[in-house]
Amino acid sequence: MTGTEKNSLRKYYQKSIKEIESELNTSLRKGLSESEVNNRLKKIGPNQLKEGKKRTIWNMLIDQFKDVLILILLVSAVVSLLLGEATDAIVIVIIVILNAVMSVLQEFKAEKSLDALKKMTVPETVVIRDGQQKKIQSQQLVPGDIVILESGDRIPADLRLVKVTDMRIQESVLTGESEAVEKNTNAVEAKDTSLGDRTNMAYMGTSVIAGRGMGLVVATGMDTEMGQIAGMLQEQKHELTPLQKKLNQVGKNLGVIILFVIAIVILLGCLRGIDFFDMFMTGISLAVAAVPEGLPAVVTIVLALGVQQMIKKNAIIRRLPAVETLGATTVICSDKTGTLTQNQMTVQKLALANREIDVEGVGYEPFGQFRENGKFIQPSEEQSLSLLLKAAALCNNSSLRQNEDNQNWGIIGDPTEGALIVTAAKAGYQKEGLENKYPRLKELPFDSDRKRMSTIHQTTDGGTLLFVKGAPDQIIERCKNYMNNGESTQLSKSIKELILEQNKKLASAALRVLAIAYREITPSEKKQLEYDQKFDIDKTESQLIFLGLMAMIDPPRKEALQAVQTCRKAGIRPVMITGDYSLTAQAIADQLDIYHSGDRIITGTELENMSQPELEKIVLETTIFARVSPRHKQRIVKALQKNKQVVAMTGDGVNDAPALKESDIGVAMGITGTDVSKEAADMILTDDNFSSIVSAVEEGRKIYQNIRKFIRYLLSCNLGEIITIFIAILIGLPRPLLPIQILWVNLVTDGFPALALGLDPAERDLMKHPPRDPDEGIFSGKMGFNIFSQGIFIGIITLIAFYYGYSQYSLEVGETMAFGTLSFTQLWQSLNSRSERYSLAKLGIFSNRYLILAILVSGILQLAVMLIPYLQLVFKVVPLSYYQWLVIIFLSFTAVPYVEILKKLKLTYKKNHSISD
C-alpha cells in the first residue's frame, strides 16, 4: 500500500459511500470476489497486529550486567581470582548474581502490551463475498470487504459504515468515554475531526451495543487505529529513571577515582622501592574499599520492599525503578472518566416547568433523597414528579442489578438510561415492578433523525399511555400541554421559554439533559397496535404533555478532590486529558480544583494545528486537554518532558497505552483498565482510586529519601576505608586492612544497617515540600560535604586504632584493631545517617526498630569473626586483650557525638543565616 493510500485511511469519514466504494474497487451488493481477496491478502497482509521484538529473560538478565557498579564488581572479582583471593571473588559473584535474579523476576512481565492487544481482536466475522454472506476468520479481512454487524459484535477492523439501524457503538477502549456513540452513514464535513466525533466510522476493538448495520473495511492490521497504537508501543523505549542515571554516574565517577588512586599508590610505592606486586595488591585493596559492593543489592532490595508496601496501599509496581520515579513526579496527567470521576452517570437535577429539584445519592446505588429549595420532598406524594420518574423508568431498555457481592450496584445497558432507572429507584419505583403494572406493548426505538425514543404501555384501568424521552428541543416542540401540580395545563409561549431557559442553564453547567413527556393513546391508535397495522410515528409522538427535564453527569470522585489538594500542597500539578468536550471537562476540573481561572484549555483540533514547539511553550499553562486522541496524549507528555517535568500518566483504555509507556511513570486502573493499559503501565491501582496515586507518590518520596540515607552511609564508610589505606601508604605504614576484611565490612557489616535505613519512617513534612528537581544531583543538599567530613573522621579514627596496635604490639594486632574499629564505627554511623537535619534525640533512637535489630545482628557477626578461632584464621585476625577492646569501643563511639555536633552547627548556621536575610 502506498503512502498516499495510507494517508487516505484517515480521511474516509469525510468521503461519501460511493466515493469509497469506487476507490476500494468493491461492491456493496456483492462484496469482493475470493480471488480478489487473495490478491489483496498477498499485497497487504493479514488483518492482525504485528509483534515487536520482545525482551526475553536472557535479554533482561544481560541488561542487569550493563550497570557500571556491577561491571566494576565483576572486574574486581576477576582480578581477585587471578591474584589467588578466591574467597573475595566468590562472594562478589554471588552478590552480583542475586542482584540480577531479583531484578529479572520483578521485570519478567514488562513486555506484554501487544499480547493484550491481540486479545481484543475478533476471531470470526460475517462478510459478503461473491454476493453471499459467509463467516470467516477476521485475520482474512482486507480493505474493500463488506462486514455485517449485529448488536453485541466486536468490530474486526476499521470500517466506514454504509448502513445502520439504531446503531450505537461503545468506543471507550479508544476514546476513554463511557457513553456509547450513535452512528450514522453521513459524511463528516469537518476537516479535522477527533476520533470520537467520526460518527460514520467503526474502529477495531470497539463494540456494537445496540442496533445493527453494515460496514466497508477501510483499514486492517497495523493500519487500523488499534494498529497505530500497537506501532507506537513498539517504537517507544523506556528512558532510565533519575536514580538509575545518578547511580550510573556515581559508578563512573568511582571507576575514575579507583583508577587514579591505584595509579598514585603504585607510583608512590615504586618510588619508595616497594615490590610492584605488593603495591598492586594494595591497589586492589583500595579498589575493593572504594566500590560499595552492597549498593546495587541494597537499592534493589529496598525498592522491592517498597513494592510490597505499595501493594498494601492498593498500588502494584511492575518495574522497580518506578518506585523512586514516583517521588520525583511533578505533573500527573489524568484521564477524566473513571479516574477522576465515578464512571457512573448520575441524575443530579430534575426540572419541572416551574420547579427545580436536587437529587442526592451516590452513583448507581438506588438510595437517595430529593430536595427542593433545601427541603426534603417525597416524589410519591406529588403526581407530576411521580409520573416523571415512572416515565423515565418505563421508557428505558437498561436495568439495575446488584452485584454478586450484594454490596455494589451496576447497570446492564446504556449508562444514560441507567441513570434514569436509578433516579426512579431512589423514589421507590423499581423498573421490574412498574413493568409488571404497566406492561410494554410496543417500542419506537431511538434514531438520530427523531432524537427520541418512545414506549407504549397498558395501564391498570385498561387505558394506554405513550412515554417519550429525548433531546429537550425536539420534545418541547412536540408538546401541547405540561403537567402543573398534577394537572395537564396548556403550554404557553412563556412556559415554553422558561423550560428552554432551564435546559440552557443545565446544559451550560456541563449536565446532559433529557426531556420526558407522555400522552394517552386513543382507542383507534390502540386498535392499530393490536392488529400491528402501520401508523404515523410522527403523528403518534405529537400532542404530548411535558413532564420535565432530567439532568445528569458522571460526577467526580469525592476522594479525588482531597487527592488533588494533597498534590498541590506537594507541588505536583494535576492535568486533565480527556476525550470529552471542553465544557464538561472544565466543569469537573473546576469541582476538583484542577482548573483555576486563567488556566488554558486546549482541544484536540487546536492541538492538531499546533506545532510541537508551540505546544511546549504553553503546556505548563494548560490544565485541561479536551477531545484528544492517543497521539495527542503522547505529544502532551513529550512537551511536558521537554520542559523538564517528570510526568505520571493515568489511564484505563487502549487509547492511554502509548502515553502510559511514553511517560516517566504510567499508572493504569486495575478494575476498569484494559489489559493493554495495564501491560504498558509501570504501576497499577487495584482500587482505581486517584488518592492511591498520592499514597504511592508519598511512598516514592520516602524510598528515595531512604536511598539517599544509605548511599550517604555506604559512601561515607567506604571513603573512611580509602582514607585509612591511602594515608597509611602515604606516610609509609603497612596496609592496615586486608581485602577480605574490607569485603566483609562492605557486604555484611554495612549490608544489614544499609537495608534497615531503607525502611526508615518518613519525615512528617514529606508531602509539604515540592518535588525534587529531576536534574538535582544525588549529593545535593550538602550531602557530599557530609559524606566527605564523616568519611575522613571514620578513616582517621581507624588509622589511630591501627597505629596504636601496630606500634605498641604487632602488625597483626594493628590490623585486627583497625578491622574492629572500622566495623563498629560504621554501625554507629548508621544511626548518624538517619537524618541530615534532626538529632538522634529528636528522631528517637528506637523509632526504626529494623535498624536497631540490624546493628545487633551485624555486631554479633563482627564479634563472631573476631572471637571464633576458625573465623579468625579465615579473616586473618588475632585475639585481643580487654584493654585493646576498650580502645576499639571508645574510638568507634566517638563518631556519634562528632556527627551530632556537625548537625547542631549546621542548624545554628541556618538559623543565623535566615535571620540576617
Side-chain angles (χ1 to χ4, degrees), residues 420-439:
L420 304 181
I421 293 176
V422 172
T423 308
K426 289 175 181 177
Y429 300 124
Q430 302 297 330
K431 185 186 177 187
E432 291 79 4
L434 290 172
E435 287 181 332
N436 290 333
K437 193 174 182 181
Y438 306 100

Side-chain angles (χ1 to χ4, degrees), residues 111 215 218 238 288 391 461 524 531 542 587 615 868 884:
E111 298 296 328
V218 295
H238 269 295
V288 174
D461 59 3
S524 62
Y531 290 99
S542 62
L615 176 59
I868 297 173
Q884 291 164 346

Side-chain angles (χ1 to χ4, degrees), residues 38-55:
N38 290 331
N39 288 335
R40 296 189 184 192
L41 275 173
K42 289 177 183 177
K43 190 176 182 180
I44 301 169
N47 177 37
Q48 63 185 25
L49 302 178
K50 296 177 183 176
E51 288 192 23
K53 188 177 180 182
K54 287 189 174 183
R55 290 175 76 233

Side-chain angles (χ1 to χ4, degrees), residues 364-381:
Y364 290 150
E365 292 184 3
F367 315 107
Q369 296 174 319
F370 298 79
R371 287 177 184 265
E372 184 175 13
N373 298 322
K375 295 181 180 179
F376 291 113
I377 60 172
Q378 184 55 257
S380 60
E381 297 175 0

Side-chain angles (χ1 to χ4, degrees), residues 679-697:
E679 295 298 339
D682 302 292
M683 182 174 82
I684 301 169
L685 302 182
T686 58
D687 61 351
D688 286 14
N689 196 328
F690 190 83
S691 63
S692 295
I693 300 172
V694 181
S695 299
V697 168

